[in-house]
Amino acid sequence: MSQGTPRPHEFKLASVPAFWPVAMASALVEDEAELYARNVKFIEEEIKIHHELRPQLATENRVRLALRTMHLRDYGREEGRPTLVVAPYAGHSAMIADYHKGQSLVQTLLDGGIAHVALTDWTSATPDMRDFEVDNYLEELLVAIDDLGGSVDLVGLCQGGWASAMIAARFPEKVNSLVLAGAPIDTDAGDGPIKRMVQASPLSFYRELVELGGGLMLGRFMLRGWKNMHPAEHYIDEHIELYEHIDDPAYLAKRETFESWYENPIDLPGRWYLQVIKEIFKENRFAKGTFVGLGRPLKLSDISCPVYLLAGAADDITTPEQVLEADRLLGTPKDAIVKETVPGGHIGLFMSARTLSQTWPKIASWILRASDRSSAT
């Protein structure tokens, strides 16, 4: 009780000099008890957010298809042309697209007037999937599009962006419009840390990681890599911040939501991962028109639908140049390409309240206009 109002007996002890040491000891004992309780609460919360929480999608949905690589999830009602959100397949779950009530890209699209939204909820690779390649994922993405009626508006997020662009290049008749948000299309562009790391590390380094994972690229390996990009933030600052806010329920709820997604990475097939590192990030084959997908070289110039390119000004995962400079490679007429850069980093493109409230409603309207023009013709 060193802080707050002293108890009556403390007033009496404090008035007698001989008992001052006793009063001080009593206060120290109570302070130590409070400190102990705070420390225990902090440790319990650390264990919870790093080991016990699991990602959960925020918006009511139904599983439309249960495929080997994904669960295709349906939102809204089945009317009009579906908008298919292709979540990143890069080590985290699709919760990035349906993060939290009031902070969900999927819900923003629904609120923006798109009646039917679908989402690729990628599954963690199991050992028997270690030899899956990019083609396996393109095939099942194609199955999803056909099950949705054969023609969709595609919204590709990060790694889901180049997969979406590949489908649009290979089957242009199936893609009415294409949104590429934080998507690494021209991986030679810019000078971000991911580009530098991939170019500096020999392919043997990535092969060794896959071998350590028994043929898989384990999510926990990738999580360590992401954290090591900003070590002070992840290994020091976030723990101090948690301790300082351990008695703040609002802070804890927000932190737990984020960590339920971030601290639960998924595993990737080793062959798929090595193919992506080598052919897309090291050799930039897709931008050069030499990446072979589903039996043919895929060329961005074969994409002719309207395209919306969205980049984060401070994105150090996919630098703005890797997204925006795709405009010179696309076959889409220049007047049908929208390029926008918004404040913030990579995750903020899909999760931040500001981008969801200011930018994505515009994109929803743009998608609806593209669907209307297509229907009219």
Side-chain angles (χ1 to χ4, degrees):
M1 298 297 293
S2 58
Q3 298 178 356
T5 304
R7 296 172 182 172
H9 73 274
E10 290 175 335
F11 282 117
K12 295 176 181 177
L13 286 173
S15 66
V16 182
F19 285 96
W20 286 352
V22 177
M24 292 175 62
S26 175
L28 286 173
V29 167
E30 292 190 12
D31 283 347
E32 288 179 1
E34 291 176 6
L35 180 62
Y36 177 79
R38 183 181 183 85
N39 289 345
V40 168
K41 187 175 182 180
F42 169 73
I43 293 170
E44 290 176 343
E45 188 66 27
E46 282 276 351
I47 292 171
K48 181 178 182 180
I49 64 177
H50 291 287
H51 300 287
E52 296 178 355
L53 298 175
R54 295 294 178 266
Q56 292 185 345
L57 299 174
T59 308
E60 182 180 353
N61 66 83
R62 54 199 174 277
V63 175
R64 183 185 185 100
L65 290 176
L67 300 171
R68 191 79 177 282
T69 65
M70 70 163 118
H71 290 133
L72 180 65
R73 296 186 179 273
D74 254 343
Y75 295 81
R77 58 191 186 278
E78 293 194 35
E79 62 179 59
R81 191 189 313 274
T83 292
L84 175 58
V85 178
V86 183
Y89 187 56
H92 275 117
S93 78
M95 183 181 167
I96 194 172
D98 189 18
Y99 178 63
H100 191 264
K101 185 178 181 180
Q103 200 174 342
S104 164
L105 191 155
V106 167
Q107 189 61 56
T108 299
L109 295 176
L110 292 170
D111 292 343
I114 298 175
H116 185 188
V117 176
L119 173 65
T120 62
D121 187 5
W122 303 109
T123 59
S124 188
T126 51
D128 60 326
M129 296 168 65
R130 62 182 177 271
D131 289 326
F132 277 26
E133 298 179 318
V134 170
D135 270 5
N136 295 96
Y137 289 81
L138 294 179
E139 288 167 357
E140 299 217 336
L141 191 52
L142 186 60
V143 168
I145 292 172
D146 285 343
D147 196 76
L148 289 165
S151 177
V152 298
D153 294 293
L154 271 183
V155 176
L157 312 181
C158 184
Q159 305 283 12
W162 57 254
S164 298
M166 286 180 177
I167 291 292
R170 183 67 174 80
F171 301 100
E173 73 282 0
K174 294 183 178 294
V175 182
N176 181 62
S177 69
L178 177 65
V179 178
L180 300 176
I185 302 300
D186 184 356
T187 57
D188 282 342
D191 188 33
I194 296 294
K195 174 187 171 181
R196 294 196 300 270
M197 179 184 70
V198 171
Q199 294 298 338
S201 303
L203 193 61
S204 59
F205 166 73
Y206 300 100
R207 289 197 183 104
E208 288 174 5
L209 290 176
V210 169
E211 290 174 4
L212 286 173
L216 300 177
M217 183 58 187
L218 298 180
R220 67 175 184 269
F221 291 172
M222 290 183 287
L223 183 61
R224 291 288 170 241
W226 298 321
K227 289 185 175 183
N228 288 343
M229 289 177 64
H230 303 282
E233 174 187 343
H234 290 291
Y235 298 125
I236 300 173
D237 296 347
E238 70 175 34
H239 302 285
I240 294 173
E241 186 176 335
L242 176 63
Y243 191 82
E244 291 174 344
H245 293 84
I246 198 65
D247 294 319
D248 182 350
Y251 171 86
L252 293 181
K254 184 177 180 180
R255 179 71 179 271
E256 287 176 5
T257 299
F258 178 79
E259 299 295 356
S260 70
W261 171 76
Y262 190 71
E263 290 288 338
N264 287 281
I266 62 176
D267 302 331
L268 308 177
R271 187 183 293 271
W272 179 97
Y273 179 77
L274 293 174
Q275 183 185 12
V276 170
I277 290 292
K278 180 178 185 289
E279 298 184 21
I280 294 179
F281 285 92
K282 278 185 171 292
E283 300 174 355
N284 201 21
R285 289 191 191 181
F286 186 34
K288 294 176 180 177
T290 59
F291 183 90
V292 177
L294 299 177
R296 291 183 185 173
L298 302 180
K299 301 180 184 298
L300 287 159
S301 58
D302 289 334
I303 297 175
S304 56
C305 65
V307 177
Y308 201 115
L309 302 173
L310 180 65
D315 191 340
D316 61 357
I317 302 296
T318 303
T319 58
E321 297 89 349
Q322 293 188 347
V323 187
L324 302 178
E325 291 185 17
D327 69 329
R328 61 186 175 81
L329 305 171
L330 297 167
T332 301
K334 297 302 180 184
D335 61 358
I337 300 175
V338 178
K339 298 167 63 176
E340 183 173 5
T341 303
V342 298
H346 190 69
I347 294 175
L349 285 172
F350 326 120
M351 286 184 176
S352 83
R354 177 177 57 191
T355 307
L356 288 173
S357 64
Q358 296 179 6
T359 303
W360 282 99
K362 292 189 302 182
I363 295 176
S365 297
W366 179 87
I367 290 172
L368 290 171
R369 289 195 300 273
S371 286
D372 289 343
R373 285 194 299 271
S374 177
S375 299
T377 57

